[in-house]
Amino acid sequence: TQDSAGKRDIIVVIDAGHGGEDPGAIGPRGTREKDVVLRMAKRLADLINQQKGFTAKLTRTGDYYVGLRNRTLLARKYNADLFVSVHADAFRTPQPRGASVFALSQRGATSVSLDGRDDMLAGVLLDLSMTASINASLGVGDSVLGRLGRVAKLHKQGVEQAAFVVLKSPDIPSILVEAG
Protein backbone atom coordinates (compact mmCIF):
# COMPACT_ATOMS: atom_id res chain seq x y z
CA THR A 1 0.00 0.00 0.00
CA GLN A 2 1.09 3.57 -0.70
CA ASP A 3 0.35 6.62 1.44
CA SER A 4 -0.39 10.19 0.29
CA ALA A 5 3.33 11.07 0.43
CA GLY A 6 4.04 8.30 -2.08
CA LYS A 7 5.74 6.08 0.49
CA ARG A 8 4.95 2.39 0.33
CA ASP A 9 5.17 -0.39 2.90
CA ILE A 10 8.36 -2.40 3.25
CA ILE A 11 7.53 -5.79 1.77
CA VAL A 12 8.90 -8.90 3.44
CA VAL A 13 8.41 -12.16 1.56
CA ILE A 14 8.46 -15.18 3.85
CA ASP A 15 9.27 -18.53 2.32
CA ALA A 16 8.19 -21.63 4.24
CA GLY A 17 10.72 -24.24 3.10
CA HIS A 18 9.80 -27.58 1.52
CA GLY A 19 6.08 -28.45 1.13
CA GLY A 20 3.94 -30.96 -0.75
CA GLU A 21 5.89 -34.06 -1.70
CA ASP A 22 9.02 -32.63 0.00
CA PRO A 23 8.56 -33.03 3.78
CA GLY A 24 12.01 -31.69 4.70
CA ALA A 25 13.53 -33.03 7.91
CA ILE A 26 11.45 -35.45 9.97
CA GLY A 27 11.69 -35.37 13.77
CA PRO A 28 11.91 -38.43 16.02
CA ARG A 29 8.14 -38.35 16.64
CA GLY A 30 7.27 -37.88 12.95
CA THR A 31 7.02 -34.08 12.99
CA ARG A 32 7.58 -32.82 9.45
CA GLU A 33 9.64 -29.72 8.77
CA LYS A 34 7.26 -28.56 6.02
CA ASP A 35 4.40 -28.32 8.54
CA VAL A 36 6.42 -26.64 11.29
CA VAL A 37 7.89 -23.98 8.99
CA LEU A 38 4.52 -23.19 7.39
CA ARG A 39 3.08 -22.47 10.84
CA MET A 40 6.15 -20.38 11.68
CA ALA A 41 5.93 -18.45 8.38
CA LYS A 42 2.23 -17.66 8.92
CA ARG A 43 2.91 -16.48 12.49
CA LEU A 44 5.82 -14.34 11.32
CA ALA A 45 3.65 -12.85 8.56
CA ASP A 46 0.98 -11.97 11.15
CA LEU A 47 3.58 -10.25 13.36
CA ILE A 48 5.00 -8.30 10.42
CA ASN A 49 1.56 -7.25 9.20
CA GLN A 50 0.82 -5.81 12.66
CA GLN A 51 3.75 -3.38 12.24
CA LYS A 52 2.85 -0.06 10.64
CA GLY A 53 4.68 0.39 7.35
CA PHE A 54 5.29 -3.33 6.76
CA THR A 55 3.52 -5.91 4.60
CA ALA A 56 4.29 -9.63 4.61
CA LYS A 57 3.68 -12.02 1.72
CA LEU A 58 4.04 -15.82 1.76
CA THR A 59 5.54 -17.95 -1.03
CA ARG A 60 3.15 -20.75 -0.04
CA THR A 61 0.04 -20.76 2.13
CA GLY A 62 -0.64 -24.51 2.19
CA ASP A 63 0.93 -27.93 1.84
CA TYR A 64 2.22 -27.80 -1.73
CA TYR A 65 5.69 -27.55 -3.24
CA VAL A 66 7.00 -24.36 -4.87
CA GLY A 67 10.15 -24.75 -6.98
CA LEU A 68 13.27 -23.07 -5.60
CA ARG A 69 13.64 -20.65 -8.51
CA ASN A 70 9.91 -19.85 -8.37
CA ARG A 71 10.29 -18.80 -4.74
CA THR A 72 12.71 -16.03 -5.74
CA LEU A 73 10.52 -15.12 -8.74
CA LEU A 74 7.56 -14.69 -6.37
CA ALA A 75 9.69 -12.37 -4.23
CA ARG A 76 10.39 -10.26 -7.31
CA LYS A 77 6.71 -10.32 -8.34
CA TYR A 78 5.77 -9.01 -4.87
CA ASN A 79 8.48 -6.28 -5.12
CA ALA A 80 10.12 -7.68 -1.99
CA ASP A 81 12.50 -5.54 0.02
CA LEU A 82 13.57 -8.60 2.02
CA PHE A 83 13.26 -12.34 1.44
CA VAL A 84 13.32 -14.72 4.43
CA SER A 85 13.36 -18.48 3.87
CA VAL A 86 12.35 -20.40 7.02
CA HIS A 87 13.62 -23.90 7.81
CA ALA A 88 13.80 -26.10 10.90
CA ASP A 89 16.31 -28.92 11.26
CA ALA A 90 15.37 -32.11 13.03
CA PHE A 91 17.87 -33.76 15.30
CA ARG A 92 18.05 -37.18 16.94
CA THR A 93 21.30 -36.48 18.79
CA PRO A 94 22.15 -33.31 20.74
CA GLN A 95 25.24 -32.38 18.68
CA PRO A 96 23.82 -30.62 15.59
CA ARG A 97 21.26 -28.45 17.33
CA GLY A 98 20.95 -24.71 17.32
CA ALA A 99 19.54 -21.93 15.17
CA SER A 100 21.48 -20.54 12.18
CA VAL A 101 21.13 -17.65 9.74
CA PHE A 102 22.57 -17.84 6.23
CA ALA A 103 23.27 -15.24 3.55
CA LEU A 104 24.58 -15.86 0.06
CA SER A 105 28.30 -16.50 -0.26
CA GLN A 106 30.37 -14.52 -2.75
CA ARG A 107 31.24 -17.81 -4.45
CA GLY A 108 27.54 -18.61 -4.80
CA ALA A 109 26.95 -15.19 -6.34
CA THR A 110 29.18 -16.03 -9.31
CA SER A 111 26.59 -18.57 -10.51
CA VAL A 112 23.70 -16.08 -10.70
CA SER A 113 22.15 -15.95 -14.17
CA LEU A 114 22.42 -12.88 -16.39
CA ASP A 115 19.43 -14.06 -18.46
CA GLY A 116 21.51 -14.39 -21.62
CA ARG A 117 23.27 -11.04 -21.27
CA ASP A 118 26.95 -11.79 -21.12
CA ASP A 119 28.34 -8.37 -21.99
CA MET A 120 30.81 -6.77 -19.63
CA LEU A 121 28.53 -3.94 -18.44
CA ALA A 122 25.80 -6.37 -17.38
CA GLY A 123 28.44 -8.40 -15.53
CA VAL A 124 29.79 -5.35 -13.70
CA LEU A 125 26.29 -4.13 -12.77
CA LEU A 126 25.31 -7.59 -11.55
CA ASP A 127 28.49 -7.80 -9.47
CA LEU A 128 27.81 -4.40 -7.86
CA SER A 129 24.19 -5.32 -7.19
CA MET A 130 25.13 -8.73 -5.73
CA THR A 131 27.78 -7.21 -3.46
CA ALA A 132 25.27 -4.65 -2.12
CA SER A 133 22.61 -7.35 -1.72
CA ILE A 134 24.99 -9.71 0.12
CA ASN A 135 26.14 -6.90 2.43
CA ALA A 136 22.52 -5.97 3.20
CA SER A 137 21.69 -9.66 3.76
CA LEU A 138 24.61 -10.01 6.18
CA GLY A 139 23.44 -6.92 8.09
CA VAL A 140 19.86 -8.14 8.40
CA GLY A 141 21.08 -11.66 9.15
CA ASP A 142 23.27 -10.38 11.97
CA SER A 143 20.32 -8.56 13.52
CA VAL A 144 18.06 -11.64 13.21
CA LEU A 145 20.77 -13.88 14.67
CA GLY A 146 21.15 -11.53 17.65
CA ARG A 147 17.42 -11.72 18.34
CA LEU A 148 17.37 -15.50 17.83
CA GLY A 149 20.21 -15.85 20.31
CA ARG A 150 17.94 -14.44 23.03
CA VAL A 151 15.45 -17.29 22.66
CA ALA A 152 17.39 -20.21 21.20
CA LYS A 153 20.79 -21.85 21.30
CA LEU A 154 22.85 -20.72 18.30
CA HIS A 155 24.67 -23.19 16.09
CA LYS A 156 27.30 -20.54 15.29
CA GLN A 157 27.78 -16.99 16.58
CA GLY A 158 27.95 -15.34 13.15
CA VAL A 159 25.89 -15.32 9.96
CA GLU A 160 26.94 -18.25 7.80
CA GLN A 161 27.25 -18.02 4.03
CA ALA A 162 26.27 -20.61 1.44
CA ALA A 163 25.17 -20.90 -2.18
CA PHE A 164 21.52 -21.81 -1.52
CA VAL A 165 19.36 -21.25 -4.62
CA VAL A 166 16.72 -19.26 -2.69
CA LEU A 167 19.36 -16.68 -1.72
CA LYS A 168 20.40 -15.85 -5.29
CA SER A 169 18.24 -12.81 -6.07
CA PRO A 170 20.77 -10.17 -7.16
CA ASP A 171 18.52 -7.27 -6.14
CA ILE A 172 16.69 -8.54 -3.02
CA PRO A 173 18.49 -8.95 0.31
CA SER A 174 17.82 -12.57 1.26
CA ILE A 175 18.41 -14.72 4.31
CA LEU A 176 17.70 -18.32 5.21
CA VAL A 177 16.88 -19.02 8.86
CA GLU A 178 17.34 -22.49 10.35
CA ALA A 179 15.17 -22.27 13.44
CA GLY A 180 16.96 -25.19 15.09
Side-chain angles (χ1 to χ4, degrees):
T1 58
Q2 215 166 6
D3 68 13
S4 57
K7 293 181 181 172
R8 69 165 178 82
D9 283 0
I10 291 170
I11 298 166
V12 181
V13 172
I14 305 159
D15 171 46
H18 308 285
E21 65 275 13
D22 175 10
I26 298 176
R29 293 186 198 92
T31 306
R32 299 177 304 183
E33 180 179 7
K34 68 176 184 174
D35 300 326
V36 172
V37 298
L38 182 59
R39 284 197 302 271
M40 288 170 57
K42 287 179 175 179
R43 178 76 180 113
L44 183 56
D46 288 344
L47 290 169
I48 289 169
N49 284 327
Q50 289 170 21
Q51 299 296 315
K52 185 170 170 42
F54 287 84
T55 298
K57 301 279 188 184
L58 295 166
T59 58
R60 70 179 179 95
T61 55
D63 185 18
Y64 49 88
Y65 183 76
V66 177
L68 298 178
R69 188 62 70 203
N70 286 341
R71 294 169 192 250
T72 58
L73 290 174
L74 277 170
R76 183 159 291 115
K77 180 183 158 197
Y78 292 137
N79 292 316
D81 297 296
L82 176 65
F83 178 86
V84 180
S85 189
V86 182
H87 291 260
D89 280 343
F91 66 91
R92 298 180 200 290
T93 60
Q95 288 81 29
R97 74 173 192 225
S100 302
V101 177
F102 288 87
L104 184 64
S105 65
Q106 204 63 55
R107 184 177 297 143
T110 60
S111 60
V112 172
S113 168
L114 278 173
D115 295 330
R117 290 169 289 180
D118 58 355
D119 57 293
M120 197 161 74
L121 178 59
V124 168
L125 292 174
L126 180 71
D127 189 48
L128 288 170
S129 179
M130 282 305 312
T131 300
S133 185
I134 289 172
N135 287 340
S137 301
L138 288 168
V140 168
D142 196 52
S143 179
V144 169
L145 194 67
R147 297 287 179 119
L148 263 177
R150 295 181 194 172
V151 295
K153 178 187 187 312
L154 296 180
H155 186 64
K156 294 211 171 128
Q157 292 304 308
V159 177
E160 300 175 66
Q161 290 183 265
F164 297 129
V165 172
V166 291
L167 299 177
K168 292 188 177 187
S169 292
D171 50 343
I172 304 169
S174 304
I175 59 172
L176 184 144
V177 178
E178 282 284 2

